[in-house]
């Protein structure tokens, strides 16, 4: 369905923002008025208008803070952080590092104010990782020091740990502490540390579990892993090798990343990988032709090259070919929920193959456009999504 733009990617990002109103991370009037100033399909216009709105809210937050209106300040900073993230979203096709860094820094600065003003507690933590550290936010229930269940959140192809604010706060409502972590290819890790995606994401999740067990008051029998969007591959992949998890959620499930969204030529994964390796220039030209016709494919290719550290589309195709759950999904031992949506235009027909490959306790959950939740990861319908997914988590944990 079209909301405010004919451009599919612009329109989906608007839906994504409107869904954040459930968490006070956006406001409907701000989203509509800003969108009305944007030129259809123009990345520079998108960036400029969202940056203007973010800067205005940033100023409102500063003024409210100075005057002692702490709740108003927190809410203004939260929306500003999200709008700065949105302004930076389409800048990766021809990356301008200074502009990207300026907007990203402004977004994280605003969110740091949210953390200072928030109750319950949100703290920045660093998870040890291969000679360096990975940034994370830890959300902690205030009223008890007793060991609680904990939810580890993995974002996806383009998300940030800051964007998980609403989902993490929902976890607290359900009696779970929460660790929102960024790994290679994501948020601060790709922009500041220049670490790119890797297929073996257990190398991120295992240190996260180690950190929680060593540093936080959690129930070691109730560690739940949730992967959102591309995290629908990353989380199940990690769960196949990290067996201290009580449950795993793949929202939305991905069995074959290359086959589920990158291949726009109607070829098998074997055919496109062969062309990428033997005749990359021809493949580059063909993929560039598709990007001229499809805004969605244009963004997938440009974003993919940015977060995978690739200089050409064929190089990205080869990298994406490594993200396959064949022969791996069978190793998952914990109960696993595979989430699907019937109008997902970003990752097509990947949840069911993942579900079918699982040999553990498994459940399949379909959200539909008829109920307003058919978009990718239930964007625009987070209340519906969270109600059903957290109920599943509670059922799994109650059995323990």
């Amino acid at each position: 369905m079209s909301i405010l733009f004919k451009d599919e990617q612009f329109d989906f990002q608007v839906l994504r923002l409107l869904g954040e109103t459930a968490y006070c991370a956006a406001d409907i009037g701000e989203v509509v008025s800003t969108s009305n100033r944007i030129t259809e399909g123009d990345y520079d216009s998108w960036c400029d208008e969202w940056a203007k709105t973010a800067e205005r809210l940033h100023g409102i937050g500063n003024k409210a803070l100075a005057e002692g209106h702490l709740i108003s300040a927190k809410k203004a900073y939260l929306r500003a952080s999200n709008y700065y993230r949105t302004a930076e979203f389409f800048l990766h096709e021809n990356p301008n590092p200074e502009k990207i860094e300026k907007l990203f820094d402004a977004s994280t600065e605003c969110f740091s104010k949210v953390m200072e003003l928030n109750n319950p507690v949100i703290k920045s933590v660093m998870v040890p990782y291969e000679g360096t550290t990975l940034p994370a936010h830890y959300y902690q229930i205030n009223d008890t020091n007793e060991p609680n269940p904990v939810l580890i959140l993995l974002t996806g192809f383009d998300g940030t740990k800051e964007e998980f604010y609403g989902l993490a706060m929902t976890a607290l409502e359900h009696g779970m502490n929460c660790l929102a972590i960024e790994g290679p290819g994501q948020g601060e890790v790709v922009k500041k540390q220049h670490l790119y995606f890797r297929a073996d994401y257990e190398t991120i999740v295992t240190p996260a579990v180690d950190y929680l067990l060593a540093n936080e008051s959690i129930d070691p029998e109730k560690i739940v892993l949730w992967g959102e969007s591309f995290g629908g591959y990353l989380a199940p992949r990690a769960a196949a090798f990290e067996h201290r998890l009580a449950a795993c959620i793949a929202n939305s499930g991905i069995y074959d990343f290359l086959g589920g969204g990158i291949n726009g030529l109607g070829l098998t994964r074997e055919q496109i990988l062969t062309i990428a390796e033997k005749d990359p220039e021809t493949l580059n030209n063909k993929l560039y032709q598709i990007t001229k016709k499809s805004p969605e494919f244009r963004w997938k290719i440009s974003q993919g090259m940015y977060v995978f550290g690739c200089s050409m589309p064929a190089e990205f195709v080869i990298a994406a070919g490594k993200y396959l759950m064949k022969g791996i999904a069978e190793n998952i031992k914990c109960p696993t929920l595979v989430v699907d949506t019937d109008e997902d235009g970003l990752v097509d027909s990947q949840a069911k193959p993942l579900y079918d490959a699982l040999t553990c306790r498994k459940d399949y959950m379909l959200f539909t456009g008829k109920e307003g939740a058919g978009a990718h990861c239930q964007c625009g319908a987070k209340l519906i999504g969270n109600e059903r997914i957290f109920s599943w988590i509670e059922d799994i944990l109650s059995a323990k």
Side-chain angles (χ1 to χ4, degrees):
M1 62 178 177
S2 178
I3 301 172
L4 292 172
F5 290 101
K6 295 178 182 178
D7 184 293
E8 294 176 357
Q9 266 303 298
F10 277 24
D11 210 50
F12 178 74
Q13 294 308 317
V14 166
L15 179 63
R16 181 175 179 173
L17 279 172
L18 290 173
E20 294 293 307
T21 61
Y23 307 136
C24 296
D27 206 1
I28 294 171
E30 289 169 350
V31 173
V32 173
S33 63
T34 304
S35 298
N36 286 340
R37 299 196 303 267
I38 295 171
T39 303
E40 187 84 40
D42 187 323
Y43 283 1
D44 289 333
S45 176
W46 175 277
C47 177
D48 292 344
E49 295 305 330
W50 284 114
K52 289 176 185 175
T53 299
E55 288 164 0
R56 180 172 61 82
L57 269 292
H58 196 165
I60 290 172
N62 288 341
K63 185 174 184 294
L65 181 61
E67 295 174 350
H69 304 301
L70 304 186
I71 294 175
S72 295
K74 181 184 75 172
K75 291 182 177 181
Y77 283 132
L78 179 60
R79 302 201 310 282
S81 176
N82 203 14
Y83 297 151
Y84 277 127
R85 179 197 61 78
T86 304
E88 188 264 342
F89 189 82
F90 289 109
L91 294 183
H92 302 159
E93 185 172 58
N94 297 296
N96 180 331
E98 291 184 4
K99 193 171 187 179
I100 290 172
E101 184 172 10
K102 179 181 177 182
L103 291 167
F104 182 77
D105 287 349
S107 178
T108 55
E109 177 191 338
C110 286
F111 196 82
S112 70
K113 296 294 186 183
V114 175
M115 295 170 68
E116 291 174 15
L117 296 167
N118 207 76
N119 184 20
V121 171
I122 311 171
K123 62 182 180 181
S124 290
V125 301
M126 304 303 292
V127 175
Y129 166 77
E130 296 190 352
T132 183
T133 56
L134 299 174
H137 292 156
Y138 189 68
Y139 294 70
Q140 184 172 1
I141 299 170
N142 276 344
D143 58 0
T144 178
N145 287 321
E146 295 181 6
N148 287 301
V150 64
L151 181 64
I152 301 174
L153 294 176
L154 294 181
T155 187
F157 200 50
D158 54 75
T160 65
K161 60 187 180 302
E162 290 79 15
E163 195 182 4
F164 270 143
Y165 172 84
L167 185 53
M169 296 298 286
T170 303
L172 295 182
E173 291 180 323
H174 286 265
M176 306 180 72
N177 293 337
C178 186
L179 182 76
I181 186 171
E182 291 172 343
Q186 299 172 331
E188 185 177 338
V189 181
V190 71
K191 291 180 173 69
K192 299 290 189 179
Q193 298 172 257
H194 307 294
L195 298 177
Y196 303 105
F197 271 117
R198 55 187 295 175
D200 53 347
Y201 238 64
E202 64 273 13
T203 58
I204 286 81
V205 172
T206 289
V209 173
D210 290 341
Y211 167 83
L212 289 168
L213 292 173
N215 297 280
E216 306 296 346
S217 180
I218 66 163
D219 185 336
E221 300 297 317
K222 295 184 177 181
I223 302 172
V224 178
L225 179 64
W226 179 323
E228 189 87 350
S229 191
F230 185 39
Y233 162 84
L234 304 176
R237 163 71 202 214
F241 297 91
E242 173 49 70
H243 297 306
R244 292 173 291 180
L245 302 173
C248 177
I249 298 99
N251 183 24
S252 297
I254 299 175
Y255 182 78
D256 177 8
F257 179 54
L258 179 60
I262 307 305
N263 186 355
L265 298 175
L267 303 173
T268 65
R269 75 180 334 268
E270 290 76 15
Q271 288 172 328
I272 195 171
L273 284 171
T274 298
I275 297 172
E277 292 170 355
K278 295 185 176 181
D279 192 4
E281 196 59 40
T282 295
L283 182 60
N284 289 334
N285 292 333
K286 288 183 177 181
L287 293 177
Y288 278 133
Q289 290 302 313
I290 298 174
T291 64
K292 294 177 181 179
K293 301 175 183 178
S294 169
E296 178 185 307
F297 199 77
R298 174 188 175 188
W299 174 79
K300 284 180 180 178
I301 293 297
S302 61
Q303 177 70 9
M305 289 193 293
Y306 180 77
V307 295
F308 279 73
C310 302
S311 59
M312 300 297 283
E315 186 183 352
F316 169 46
V317 167
I318 293 171
K322 299 175 183 178
Y323 294 72
L324 177 67
M325 290 296 290
K326 183 178 181 180
I328 296 173
E330 298 86 343
N331 296 327
I332 298 174
K333 299 183 183 300
C334 65
T336 298
L337 174 65
V338 179
V339 181
D340 201 359
T341 52
D342 67 352
E343 296 176 353
D344 192 329
L346 291 176
V347 182
D348 294 327
S349 306
Q350 288 299 303
K352 207 62 168 66
L354 175 62
Y355 174 81
D356 290 341
L358 295 173
T359 57
C360 57
R361 150 73 194 272
K362 60 183 180 179
D363 290 287
Y364 175 82
M365 186 178 291
L366 177 66
F367 291 90
T368 67
K370 185 176 180 180
E371 60 186 332
H376 180 63
C377 295
Q378 308 88 54
C379 277
K382 287 300 182 183
L383 297 181
I384 296 173
N386 290 348
E387 285 163 8
R388 290 172 59 184
I389 295 173
F390 275 101
S391 292
W392 181 89
I393 293 173
E394 289 174 343
D395 287 344
I396 294 297
L397 294 186
S398 67
K400 289 186 171 290

